[in-house]
Amino acid sequence: MSSESSSRSAEAAIGNSPSPGPCLNIAPLSFSDDCFRAGRQPYADEETYRALRERHRASHVFRFDVRDGMIWNVAVVPDVAPLGETQVARVDEHLLLLGKVVQHLLLEWLRATRTILRPVRPLQCWGNRKAALLSAAIRECNLQPVEGLDVLVRHSFDTRVLQTRGAAAPAFLALLLDVDTSNELAISGDALIDARFDLIGRWVCRHAPVEDGMRPRLETLGRVIGVENGILRLADPSGDDSVAAKHVLLEPRQEYLEALVHHQYDRAAHRILTGLAKRRRDYWSGAQKLDHIRRTLEGVRDKFAKDLHLPDGLIIRVGTLLGAGDPLFPDTIETSRPTFLFGAQGSQTNRSPDAGVKTFGPYKYMQHARNAPLVAVICEKGKEGSADELACALRDGFPDDVWREIVSGRPNPKVNPFQGGLVGKFRLARVQFEFEAAANSSVDAYEKAIQQLLGRLPAAPDLALVQTRQAHRDLPAPSNPYLISKARFMTAGVPVQGVRLETIESDEAGLAYTLNGLALQAYAKLDGLPFVMSMRGPATHELVIGLGYAETREGRFGIRDRYVGLTTVFQGDGRYLVWGQTKEVEFDEYADALIQQLRTSIAYVREQNNWQAGETVRLVFHVFKPLKNTEIDAVKAVVRELIADRHAVKFAFVNISQHHEYLQFDPSQRGKDYWAGRGDRRLKGAGAPTRGRCLQLGPRTALLQLIGVDEVKTDQQGLPVPLLIDLHADSDFTDITYIARQIFHFSCLSWRSFFPSHEPITILYSRLIAASLANLKPVPGWNSAVLASERLRGSMWFL
């Protein structure tokens, strides 16, 4: 075989010094030759394939190749030949197989000195125990660590095939790395009882059977409700409702770790946890995380250069992290904040939703049907004055004289954020309020107040404003005044806006900003259109459809076999059209039910928008998980059944995920100062990229940053994770640049806040609907069928 002749594109990136500009946690891999020896044999069935892998997993790496229906394998130990028919294989044609080889070599190297947490992709292990973070914080306070209570560094490795320089450029294999931290709570339940640590109310788990020397997986057992003679009684059990304390551990939650530190170290606990947080920030924040990743990568590069290669002499070379200017650094997809439409005619433009509504009024506000809404107000007895002041400010705006007094003396004082209220800013003709006081904060009192209010009105109100308390949030649904109120009003076709008493009685400066967002949500729930995107007027009808779901089960370990499918439908300009839900179905029936709901939604939109024969229709689906080919085929069949006889149809199926291994960094970003309280000034967002940075990882794949340095809230948040956008191969609309920009634009369109969202509204709204349905389901007397009524079907009741 010839040497030094393959993977030149990948090798060009190897050995470069760290780039000062944007970079990724991706190191390209190259190989010393174009070819290598591999074996192949026919695939019979999954059981035979699994047995083959199990029998030879120490000596061979296997991969089933769908292109030829054969099982390919590579020998990874000396003096062992590939299995089956041996032949010379090309590196560039078997990158996925070689990726599995790299994972295997890493696993075998690490298992000798590290605790393996996860042997499959992504491979994860704990770092050196000498660098344990909690132990270091404890010793810093001149105290001794407790065995089994610690925070350890966690390393993660994965391989991916990328094509970052366009469809015409060659693909290459890359290694993805991450460094983070994880908790260890390996103290047995009986030891905790002996130490007088209270287990009541806490979730416990146990180690699953050990697998091949790996760290045993943790299995949650239940929540402790009683302790007697070394036996724990469990609520919400996954199996038995009692277990011996000596066989269990606490779940490795952060709150449990902090409780143990307080229990064990008492007065020193605050100093210990402060020291721990400082050490953890080094693995969370962008700048320090990048340094740790680079140091980990240097160790990997050194090990591969010296020891890790294939028996036939094929050498695997590991490059440095991809940075701006590297030959393989991904192409950038330019993004910009969209222009929005406002005003009576819908023709005024502004890039700021808040400024646009304030200056021109909402989009086509003269056509708003609920121009003089009646708003029901439910509050506790004794809080009528606070509720009345809130309603008045919501209607008329935050008083300018009060605002001027608040900002008096401040340098560069800001303008009152909520001038004019629903009447002035949102251009409603008037807002009428109907008040009813609940005798107290109980569910019964709230229900009685709602019945009295609805009973005396000649027609249902347009919106309900319900005062609650912070403490209500943690109450179960049957005892929760807000959820009961929401269920009762929505059963009458009335959307609900909740507001906490603590918010109403908060500092006035904060209340002004709260009212601004509250008014936006209220206007949307009154069927108003606050703003939409300015489009160039394409000749294509475009629908952007979010597909989501909500699980229904009893308790934490209830059987998750009941699903509610969700669809949210938007026009290409971001205008919300309709949402729909399936009935609760078994998992096997979920796809069919979702497709049936999709049929209903598209038919509804087609009728409402009066599509004409011959017009082109483009359907862009945003999904919570990759769709199966059978599901895509079914979606296409349904759509063609409805409209293909009259319209030309294009499809794009886009998986949008925050759960992946890719990270973006900007080493030049020094971060921003913020006040963390009590005179504590800290730095947040160091090393984080800017919002909107989008990189193309392949012809159908992009990485989009929706949380940038400006959106990071605290130094505890760490490096924000980008969205991974993956366009399914069955899509016949394949413009990944258009798709990525559209997702970015849809993240600026939420009517829940004037600020951009961390995800597109197709996903956000589905998530909000799912959460609302889950919260309302346990409410006595609630029936989600009321949401199909004409009043709520197109309403933004879930904001």
Side-chain angles (χ1 to χ4, degrees), residues 678-689:
R678 297 182 180 179
D680 185 9
R681 196 168 184 82
R682 296 183 182 176
L683 192 68
K684 64 175 183 176

Side-chain angles (χ1 to χ4, degrees), residues 75 178 193 293 317 429 554 612 698 725:
D178 193 11
I193 293 172
I293 289 175
R317 296 192 176 95
E554 296 296 330
Q612 300 298 309
I725 301 169

Side-chain angles (χ1 to χ4, degrees), residues 661-699:
E661 306 305 313
Y662 297 98
L663 296 172
Q664 294 196 64
F665 299 88
D666 185 353
S668 66
Q669 176 52 252
R670 300 182 64 181
K672 295 194 173 185
D673 287 338
Y674 78 101
W675 289 105
R678 297 182 180 179
D680 185 9
R681 196 168 184 82
R682 296 183 182 176
L683 192 68
K684 64 175 183 176
T690 56
R691 174 180 163 85
R693 179 178 295 281
C694 188
L695 301 176
Q696 186 168 346
L697 300 181

Side-chain angles (χ1 to χ4, degrees), residues 456-496:
R456 71 168 179 266
L457 291 176
D462 298 287
L463 178 70
L465 191 64
V466 178
Q467 172 256 305
T468 64
R469 292 178 178 264
Q470 176 69 31
H472 293 168
R473 186 175 183 178
D474 298 324
L475 294 176
S479 306
N480 190 311
Y482 172 67
L483 291 178
I484 292 290
S485 299
K486 189 170 184 177
R488 301 301 177 252
F489 272 121
M490 289 179 60
T491 298
V494 182
V496 178

Side-chain angles (χ1 to χ4, degrees), residues 568-581:
T568 51
V569 185
F570 304 81
Q571 287 186 178
D573 62 1
R575 197 176 321 183
Y576 174 77
L577 296 176
V578 69
W579 79 283
Q581 71 173 83

Side-chain angles (χ1 to χ4, degrees), residues 486-525:
K486 189 170 184 177
R488 301 301 177 252
F489 272 121
M490 289 179 60
T491 298
V494 182
V496 178
Q497 184 71 52
V499 58
R500 296 191 186 108
L501 180 64
E502 292 81 0
T503 300
I504 299 173
E505 297 180 345
S506 66
D507 69 286
E508 292 182 317
L511 181 59
Y513 288 99
T514 298
L515 282 167
N516 200 33
L518 193 69
L520 174 67
Q521 296 177 30
Y523 186 76
K525 290 178 179 179

Side-chain angles (χ1 to χ4, degrees), residues 385-406:
S386 296
D388 186 62
E389 288 180 346
L390 177 76
C392 182
L394 185 62
R395 180 189 62 204
D396 302 326
F398 193 82
D400 275 326
D401 57 339
V402 177
W403 181 259
R404 283 193 297 269
E405 184 178 343
I406 291 171

